Amino acid sequence: MRRVFGVKKNNDPPPSLEDANDRITKRGDTVDEKIKKLDVELNRYKEQIKKSRPGPAQEAVKARAMRVLKQKRMYEGQRDMLYNQTFNLDQVQFAAEGIKDAQQTMSALKSANKELKGMMKTVKLQDIDNLQDEMMDLMDVSNEIQETLGRSYSVPDDIDEEELMGELDALEADMENETEGVPSYLQPDKESDLDAELNLPSAPTGQTAAPHGRFNAQTEDELGLPAVPRASLRG
């Protein structure tokens, strides 16, 4: 029959890593639920063993507990195997996503490289140098224009500096002549007069000499006050 009709081809796409991971995770959850039920049953048997007396009844409960414990160990082994499979799938999925990210990065770099090459064709270093030179020339011309526009029209360029110095000396002489006719109290103080004013005479120290013609000058005590005559003290 296969030779006549042929074998039906399976055109379904292969499962993805995410689908396989989800399927195994669901199986693991199912196994966990079974293990929890067995734990509840095993705890019930433990309580019965504690309450029962040694004998056939207790041995029967122990046999049931042993069977439940074996099933639990089997499901725990299956759960560990499923966890290992999901871990492997996660590792493969992480590596696949890393390769996809690298491919996208390479595509973006290629596109940017192509764009930069196109931009570099329109920009030439020689054109930039020429532009800089032209800008410097324009700045020089602009400075010359500013200097020309800022030049004063009333000051001639051919003035002799010696002539200017002579006019300055004459101006100072005229100012001195004008100050001679001003009263002394309106004239500015000179340094010599200021020094003379500051060099005041020092204050007298000690006893002053009595003027001529006066023989009854009063004497002073140790505090500098006039001494009181002894006669007045006796009276």
Side-chain angles (χ1 to χ4, degrees), residues 12 32 195 227:
D12 295 335
D32 285 334
D195 295 337

Side-chain angles (χ1 to χ4, degrees), residues 73-114:
R73 293 289 184 267
M74 181 186 65
Y75 284 131
E76 287 177 352
Q78 291 180 0
R79 183 185 62 182
D80 294 339
M81 181 180 63
L82 293 173
Y83 284 166
N84 290 331
Q85 291 180 7
T86 55
F87 177 76
N88 294 331
L89 289 173
D90 290 337
Q91 292 295 105
V92 174
Q93 187 175 1
F94 180 78
E97 290 177 354
I99 293 173
K100 289 181 181 179
D101 293 339
Q103 290 177 350
Q104 292 180 358
T105 303
M106 289 297 297
S107 299
L109 290 175
K110 288 181 180 179
S111 178
N113 190 16
K114 184 178 180 181

Side-chain angles (χ1 to χ4, degrees):
M1 295 295 292
R2 291 183 178 179
R3 293 179 181 178
V4 177
F5 297 101
V7 180
K8 184 180 179 180
K9 295 182 179 180
N10 189 7
N11 295 324
D12 295 335
S16 63
L17 293 174
E18 294 180 358
D19 295 337
N21 196 351
D22 293 339
R23 184 171 179 274
I24 295 174
T25 301
K26 290 179 181 180
R27 288 181 60 190
D29 294 338
T30 303
V31 174
D32 285 334
E33 292 295 331
K34 292 181 180 180
I35 292 173
K36 290 179 181 179
K37 291 180 181 180
L38 293 174
D39 285 333
V40 173
E41 187 177 358
L42 187 61
N43 290 328
R44 187 174 68 251
Y45 289 151
K46 288 181 179 179
E47 292 295 330
Q48 292 178 2
I49 292 172
K50 290 180 181 179
K51 294 179 181 180
S52 63
R53 295 179 179 180
Q58 189 180 24
E59 293 296 330
V61 176
K62 287 182 179 180
R64 293 175 185 176
M66 186 63 67
R67 178 176 55 83
V68 173
L69 187 60
K70 289 180 180 179
Q71 290 179 358
K72 181 183 176 182
R73 293 289 184 267
M74 181 186 65
Y75 284 131
E76 287 177 352
Q78 291 180 0
R79 183 185 62 182
D80 294 339
M81 181 180 63
L82 293 173
Y83 284 166
N84 290 331
Q85 291 180 7
T86 55
F87 177 76
N88 294 331
L89 289 173
D90 290 337
Q91 292 295 105
V92 174
Q93 187 175 1
F94 180 78
E97 290 177 354
I99 293 173
K100 289 181 181 179
D101 293 339
Q103 290 177 350
Q104 292 180 358
T105 303
M106 289 297 297
S107 299
L109 290 175
K110 288 181 180 179
S111 178
N113 190 16
K114 184 178 180 181
E115 186 177 358
L116 285 174
K117 287 182 179 179
M119 295 173 62
M120 287 300 179
K121 291 180 180 179
T122 60
V123 179
K124 296 181 180 179
L125 294 177
Q126 186 63 34
D127 295 338
I128 296 175
D129 292 336
N130 295 333
L131 181 62
Q132 291 290 337
D133 295 338
E134 291 179 0
M135 290 296 296
M136 292 178 65
D137 295 338
L138 290 174
M139 291 300 295
D140 294 338
V141 174
S142 176
N143 292 330
E144 292 180 0
I145 292 173
Q146 296 296 327
E147 292 178 358
T148 303
L149 293 176
R151 186 180 301 168
S152 179
Y153 298 106
S154 60
V155 179
D157 296 335
D158 54 351
I159 296 179
D160 190 2
E161 293 184 359
E162 295 182 358
E163 184 178 355
L164 292 176
M165 293 299 295
E167 293 181 1
L168 182 61
D169 295 337
L171 181 61
E172 292 179 356
D174 294 337
M175 291 176 64
E176 292 179 357
N177 294 329
E178 291 178 358
T179 55
E180 291 179 357
V182 179
S184 61
Y185 62 86
L186 295 179
Q187 292 182 1
D189 297 333
K190 296 182 180 180
E191 295 181 358
S192 59
D193 296 337
L194 183 60
D195 295 337
E197 292 179 359
L198 294 177
N199 293 329
L200 299 176
S202 58
T205 58
Q207 297 181 356
T208 55
H212 297 284
R214 295 181 63 183
F215 298 99
N216 57 351
Q218 296 180 353
T219 60
E220 295 178 355
D221 57 5
E222 63 274 5
L223 297 178
L225 299 176
V228 180
R230 295 181 179 179
S232 60
L233 290 176
R234 295 177 181 177

